[in-house]
Amino acid sequence: MLSRREFIARGTGTAFTFAAAAGSTGLLAGCAKNSSTHPPTVASFHDLAGSRSLRAHARRHGLIYGSAVVIPVVKENADFASLLSEQCGILVPSNELKWVALRPSREAFNFGPPDFLYDFSQRNHMLMRGHTLCWHQSVPAWIKTIDSKDEIRQIFVDHITTVCKHYAGKMQSWDVVNEAIEPDDKLPGGLRKSFWYENLGPDYIDLAFHTARAADPSVKLTYNDYGIEGDSDNDAEKRRLILEMVKGMKNRGVPIDAIGVQSHLNAGEEYGQGVADYIEAIHQLGLEVYLTELDVNDDSTATDDVPQRDAVVAKTYTDFLTAALPNPAVKLVLTWDLSDKYTWLNSLGSHRKKRPNRDQRPLPFDADLKPTDCFYALRDSFNRHKLV
Ligand code: G3I
């Protein structure tokens, strides 16, 4: 596996060089070393561009920082588009590469929105990753009406082939399979009882990875999951099941390059040894680790006082990153959006919120695009970790 220094200097092993993800070398000049001093006021988010950006701080420490993006927002909000280009070295579309969005019908592929984001990423010297080729939550209605399992299998293979070929040599990585483990479903190996499992059998995961590799020989192929970040017994069991699955894949010669740790955290929860050991186990398997969907849900925090809430959220970022970042297997850190204005946590139905009338503040920039305590928690966490 490439060290972080080689990763930055030589590229990812894909068609990309990670120099692109940092933009111009000027971005790195004057990057503050270990300052935890927050500017008392930031007049505009542009004050945090260039060498003061998360992108530059991450790169200086051997990491690529980026964000998920709800694509229409990039067209509608020019300020937000500027913020993205200033802060991010990698983007991932939140929704538009999922089956439901990309395959409105059996015949159609809606590549327009993700192609737009790819062009935007290129213009701004960013990388892009793909999410996701197979997810139980994004199965279009039309495929569920097909009775023949052989036909579903053929559509599955054709979909992955077409999508991966469309972006061959362009994506840094693909979340090939997302969230395939669910211990509560009581299936062998802890596999989730999903549409894909039920129609294709347990080998659908191997099939997805082999098909993706055949269509794009250089992209990093990733298995991505959640509920594995904490120190609870449930998280520990899910980590064990994922490691068991991945070891099996490696033994069978299935092409897999990386594991995604989604990192949807809860404010005030303990994050430490469990995730550190998990990342080390992945490192020992020779795979990379991507923190793919980082944010902090503070729905359970009792106080409504914003500075107090922000401090708890920022500490949660710091604790988690302190456990995760020292391991050289960790190469990418992406938050699940960049601004609180667009976080999925504020669009959840009220039945999924304890405090439906309170907006969450889980991300590095608030709804007015002002930096939050999370920005500084991320920046300072990057600064504490060396290029190794
Ligand atoms: O685009 C349509 C719009 O046309 C329609 O009017 C509107 C009405 O509900 O829906 C819009 O689509 C929504 C889409 O987000 C875009 O905003 C979908 O209903 C909604 O289900 C979808 O939610 C996304 C969710 O995944 C399901 O795909 C969230 O934005 C997205 O943040 C979330 O992301 C997931 C990751 O993929 C996997 N890990 C967990 C993460 C958070 O749940």
Side-chain angles (χ1 to χ4, degrees):
M1 181 189 301
L2 295 180
S3 70
R4 283 189 185 143
R5 190 182 298 279
E6 290 164 334
F7 185 70
I8 290 292
R10 288 170 34 198
T12 61
T14 71
F16 294 100
T17 63
F18 264 54
S24 70
T25 47
L27 205 58
L28 306 179
C31 199
K33 272 223 165 129
N34 225 340
S35 159
S36 58
T37 315
H38 305 178
T41 51
V42 174
S44 142
F45 64 79
H46 296 301
D47 292 352
L48 294 171
S51 65
R52 300 178 76 192
S53 65
L54 291 176
R55 174 179 182 156
H57 282 275
R59 174 170 156 80
R60 188 167 185 277
H61 295 272
L63 295 160
I64 304 295
Y65 168 75
S67 172
V69 187
V70 178
I71 294 177
V73 163
V74 181
K75 295 183 182 173
E76 288 159 14
N77 186 338
D79 280 346
F80 182 70
S82 292
L83 181 69
L84 277 178
S85 65
E86 290 171 2
Q87 296 295 330
C88 295
I90 186 164
L91 297 179
V92 59
S94 306
N95 292 308
E96 290 80 358
L97 287 167
K98 294 171 180 168
W99 276 71
V100 166
L102 194 58
R103 293 299 295 280
S105 69
R106 184 170 178 166
E107 296 73 31
F109 285 81
N110 187 15
F111 282 120
D115 284 357
F116 163 83
L117 192 70
Y118 178 74
D119 291 343
F120 176 83
S121 73
Q122 291 302 286
R123 282 199 303 280
N124 292 290
H125 312 287
M126 299 152 136
L127 304 176
M128 185 156 138
R129 65 187 310 270
H131 172 84
T132 167
L133 297 168
C134 176
W135 186 33
H136 68 284
Q137 274 195 38
S138 194
V139 181
W142 59 262
I143 202 173
K144 294 182 190 164
T145 65
I146 298 171
D147 291 330
S148 158
K149 288 187 175 14
D150 286 346
E151 209 175 325
I152 293 173
R153 190 179 186 87
Q154 193 57 53
I155 293 170
F156 182 75
V157 168
D158 289 347
H159 176 90
I160 294 174
T161 302
T162 303
V163 177
C164 287
K165 280 198 168 159
H166 185 85
Y167 291 109
K170 295 180 168 177
M171 293 285 184
Q172 180 271 334
S173 55
W174 265 110
D175 286 334
V176 179
V177 175
N178 193 45
E179 304 175 5
I181 298 288
E182 176 45 77
D184 288 350
D185 286 353
K186 311 275 181 230
L187 288 175
L191 289 182
R192 185 185 291 276
K193 195 167 182 243
S194 67
F195 174 84
W196 303 116
Y197 176 91
E198 291 191 304
N199 284 282
L200 308 181
D203 76 331
Y204 81 91
I205 298 172
D206 290 8
L207 178 65
F209 278 83
H210 280 299
T211 307
R213 174 56 76 235
D216 186 346
S218 63
V219 68
K220 299 281 188 181
L221 302 180
T222 308
Y223 174 76
N224 192 45
D225 215 329
Y226 71 99
I228 45 183
E229 298 81 3
D231 289 344
S232 71
D233 289 348
N234 281 349
D235 286 23
E237 174 61 1
K238 199 159 172 182
R239 287 193 288 266
R240 188 187 70 72
L241 288 165
I242 294 172
L243 286 171
E244 193 177 276
M245 177 185 76
V246 172
K247 280 180 198 162
M249 290 168 74
K250 297 251 323 164
N251 288 340
R252 293 189 296 276
V254 176
I256 178 167
D257 304 297
I259 304 290
V261 179
Q262 289 191 7
S263 315
H264 292 294
L265 310 179
N266 292 307
E269 232 177 88
E270 301 275 317
Y271 298 100
Q273 203 56 47
V275 79
D277 290 349
Y278 180 59
I279 291 172
E280 178 53 22
I282 298 167
H283 186 206
Q284 292 301 321
L285 291 173
L287 303 179
E288 295 183 347
V289 174
Y290 305 151
L291 309 183
T292 50
E293 306 186 14
L294 179 58
D295 59 14
V296 176
N297 184 330
D298 84 335
D299 210 19
S300 296
T301 308
T303 179
D304 284 332
D305 180 74
V306 167
Q308 283 186 50
R309 284 176 55 204
D310 282 2
V312 178
V313 169
K315 182 177 183 309
T316 309
Y317 266 87
T318 301
D319 289 352
F320 178 71
L321 292 171
T322 299
L325 292 188
N327 197 305
V330 179
K331 309 290 190 194
L332 306 179
V333 178
L334 291 98
T335 46
W336 201 244
D337 222 300
L338 187 60
S339 156
D340 298 338
K341 191 175 172 79
Y342 303 116
T343 175
W344 70 290
L345 292 169
N346 285 337
S347 59
L348 290 175
S350 53
H351 63 291
R352 291 182 65 192
K353 291 177 169 181
K354 293 198 177 92
R355 293 175 172 77
N357 298 323
R358 187 172 94 179
D359 274 349
Q360 297 223 33
R361 296 167 56 82
L363 292 167
F365 289 85
D366 71 12
D368 297 321
L369 310 188
K370 297 238 163 45
T372 63
D373 288 359
C374 306
F375 174 93
Y376 298 104
L378 273 163
R379 183 198 68 178
D380 296 346
S381 297
F382 294 152
N383 283 347
R384 274 194 294 276
H385 294 95
K386 292 193 187 88
L387 193 63
V388 283

